[in-house]
Amino acid sequence: MSQNDVKDLNTIPYGRLGIIAMDSCAALGKKVDKFLTQWRRERELEHKGTLFFDGYERDSYLIGCKTPRFGSGEAKGSIQESVRGDDIYILVDVCNYSLTYSLFGHTNHMSPDDHFQDLKRVIAAIGGKARRINVIMPFLYESRQHRRMGRESLDCALALQELVKMGVENIITFDAHDPRIQNAIPLHGFETVQPAYQFIKGLLRNEPDLQVDSDHLMVISPDEGGMSRAIYIANNLGVDMGMFYKRRDYSTIVNGRNPIVAHEFLGSDVTGKDMIIIDDMISSGDSMIEVAQLLKERKAGKIFLCSTFGLFTNGLEKFDWAYEQGIIDRLLTTNLVYQTPELLQRPYYITCDLSKYIALLIDTLNHDTSISHLLNPAERIQKVLKKHQNHEKF
């Protein structure tokens, strides 16, 4: 993906661009800022020197912010410069547990609740002075609690409504657990972006001998909820799709959920075929590894695990074991959430960088231009497939 993927950026910017990268997203924010400063420095626009483009070309678009905490654990939000009339984009990773704060002398790791509260503090510090506020939250806060099953809370819907009431105009997330959650804020911008292109590109770069056809490759959804994700990738690659569905014991609850009794497979013969198992997140990793084992029992070839969010809540030991046993060959996740140094050092791990994609989205939205062509990567997928088949670099 290149800067040329942005169509017609001769339009007047919505406002002076400003990026607030929360501490949880600091590394990603720096990468995004680097792309934007380079593109805008090189871009030739007819009216670039006019008042409408004031502050268009700068050394950095990052705006400093702080969310210090008191000894009691309470906090406040502050921004380091004026944002009056700016088009603000706030980046936040609610899953970054590596950040800590002191709570009555004890070290406390930040939870998604803490990150979300800090996000609201920064929005409150802006105080309605910005022309527009956009939130880029790769892992949508409380997205796993997206629907009501009995007498329980609807946390994700409440969070979205709370942000909108505070003045947020657009919310951009990646691979939302259920995109229908946007029905909670029908009159405001909500986009859920799929990193399918980045997965395919990352896999083909690291597996140059991979044969992409229906005789040698298959895409697998580990559950019925991720079927649309698997169908999209399978159709773009021109291969078959299979699916596992989970048989659960609804009479018992273990760790807040009904335990899985068995995984049942629906699909054609997998013998000798390489498998791409695609899902939105890896939490403990139990389901993904169990699906990989079941495919190996059916005599599948190489197995590649792809997940937008690698949370690894129970550590990496299970994946190390699966790799050593030959159950999995590659593990691909994005840099949209916190990645531990240990994960990045694993020989089987491939990281998919989304910083350029986010920079393209921000650049396009700041020019008040449609991002539809960026949300559907089918054309870019076909280009990289063609280069792979012709053994060209990409």
Side-chain angles (χ1 to χ4, degrees):
M1 188 188 302
S2 68
Q3 182 190 354
N4 295 328
D5 288 313
V6 181
K7 313 293 184 185
D8 186 21
L9 287 186
N10 289 313
T11 53
I12 296 172
Y14 191 89
R16 194 180 76 143
L17 176 60
I19 299 172
I20 298 177
M22 307 284 290
D23 288 342
S24 59
C25 241
L28 183 62
K30 287 179 181 177
K31 287 185 176 182
V32 170
D33 182 57
K34 186 177 179 181
F35 281 115
L36 288 168
T37 52
Q38 179 185 341
W39 293 343
R40 296 200 166 191
R41 191 180 302 117
E42 297 172 353
R43 186 172 293 150
E44 296 181 5
L45 296 173
E46 184 181 351
H47 304 289
K48 197 172 181 180
T50 64
L51 183 63
F52 296 112
F53 283 81
D54 179 46
Y56 185 79
E57 186 180 318
R58 302 205 305 276
D59 292 332
S60 176
Y61 301 95
L62 290 173
I63 295 170
C65 74
K66 291 183 179 179
T67 52
R69 289 182 180 265
F70 304 102
S72 61
E74 296 168 296
K76 64 178 180 180
S78 64
I79 50 178
Q80 307 301 300
E81 61 185 87
S82 172
V83 295
R84 186 178 295 273
D86 286 3
D87 187 20
I88 297 296
Y89 295 80
I90 307 175
L91 276 68
V92 58
D93 172 16
V94 298
C95 295
N96 192 338
Y97 63 91
S98 69
L99 301 179
T100 60
Y101 62 92
S102 178
L103 180 65
F104 289 93
H106 299 280
T107 299
N108 206 35
H109 286 264
M110 289 190 70
S111 70
D113 292 343
D114 292 321
H115 287 298
F116 186 69
Q117 199 67 23
D118 278 354
L119 169 65
K120 292 193 295 180
R121 291 182 176 112
V122 169
I123 294 172
I126 291 172
K129 301 301 188 293
R131 180 163 295 176
R132 183 173 65 176
I133 299 176
N134 312 271
V135 170
I136 299 178
M137 186 187 295
F139 186 96
L140 186 61
Y141 174 70
E142 287 290 357
S143 59
R144 299 175 80 173
Q145 187 53 28
H146 61 286
R147 60 179 176 175
R148 178 173 282 154
M149 303 284 285
R151 294 184 180 91
E152 57 187 25
S153 57
L154 266 172
D155 296 58
C156 192
L158 287 171
L160 293 177
Q161 290 181 356
E162 197 169 3
L163 290 178
V164 163
K165 287 175 183 176
M166 292 187 74
V168 175
E169 187 64 32
N170 295 304
I171 298 170
I172 298 173
T173 189
F174 284 77
D175 215 348
H177 201 61
D178 189 340
R180 290 174 295 184
I181 195 64
Q182 65 187 289
N183 293 338
I185 49 169
L187 300 180
H188 290 77
F190 181 95
E191 299 292 350
T192 175
V193 186
Q194 297 288 340
Y197 167 74
Q198 285 78 10
F199 282 140
I200 293 170
K201 187 177 180 181
L203 182 59
L204 295 181
R205 268 184 175 173
N206 289 273
E207 294 287 333
D209 298 326
L210 189 66
Q211 292 181 270
V212 184
D213 57 57
S214 55
D215 294 327
H216 299 92
L217 188 65
M218 196 169 177
V219 180
I220 304 293
S221 174
D223 54 44
E224 62 277 14
M227 274 189 65
S228 59
R229 193 180 298 108
I231 288 171
Y232 181 82
I233 291 180
N235 287 348
N236 274 283
L237 294 178
V239 300
D240 292 333
M241 191 213 81
M243 185 200 80
F244 282 86
Y245 70 90
K246 300 171 183 175
R247 281 203 290 119
R248 293 182 181 272
D249 181 4
Y250 288 102
S251 64
T252 58
I253 296 176
V254 179
N255 294 328
R257 59 182 181 178
N258 303 108
I260 299 168
V261 177
H263 287 86
E264 304 291 350
F265 181 67
L266 299 173
S268 58
D269 184 24
V270 304
T271 304
K273 295 181 181 179
D274 296 330
M275 303 282 122
I276 297 176
I277 305 175
I278 181 78
D279 206 357
D280 61 336
M281 74 176 76
I282 292 175
S283 185
S284 65
D286 291 343
S287 294
M288 290 280 264
I289 291 175
E290 186 174 346
V291 165
Q293 286 178 293
L294 292 170
L295 289 171
K296 278 294 184 183
E297 290 174 7
R298 288 174 166 80
K299 299 180 180 179
K302 289 185 175 182
I303 293 184
F304 312 110
L305 306 183
C306 297
S307 179
T308 307
F309 307 108
L311 305 181
F312 306 109
T313 55
N314 291 348
L316 298 170
E317 288 76 14
K318 293 177 183 176
F319 294 91
D320 293 339
W321 172 84
Y323 176 68
E324 290 166 2
Q325 297 295 316
I327 297 170
I328 66 171
D329 293 86
R330 294 285 189 178
L331 170 63
L332 294 84
T333 68
T334 71
N335 64 335
L336 294 172
V337 292
Y338 172 66
Q339 298 166 298
T340 63
E342 293 78 19
L343 174 66
L344 296 171
Q345 292 171 1
R346 291 301 195 265
Y348 54 84
Y349 180 68
I350 300 170
T351 182
C352 300
D353 188 0
L354 270 291
S355 57
K356 183 182 283 190
Y357 197 10
I358 293 174
L360 282 167
L361 290 168
I362 292 175
D363 204 16
T364 309
L365 284 171
N366 180 239
H367 275 267
D368 211 17
T369 303
S370 172
I371 59 172
S372 298
H373 63 285
L374 294 174
L375 299 177
N376 185 5
E379 186 179 335
R380 295 192 295 277
I381 290 173
Q382 294 309 311
K383 284 181 181 178
V384 80
L385 274 176
K386 190 174 181 180
K387 288 182 178 180
H388 172 73
Q389 291 163 356
N390 295 333
H391 303 287
E392 299 175 14
K393 285 187 177 182
F394 51 89

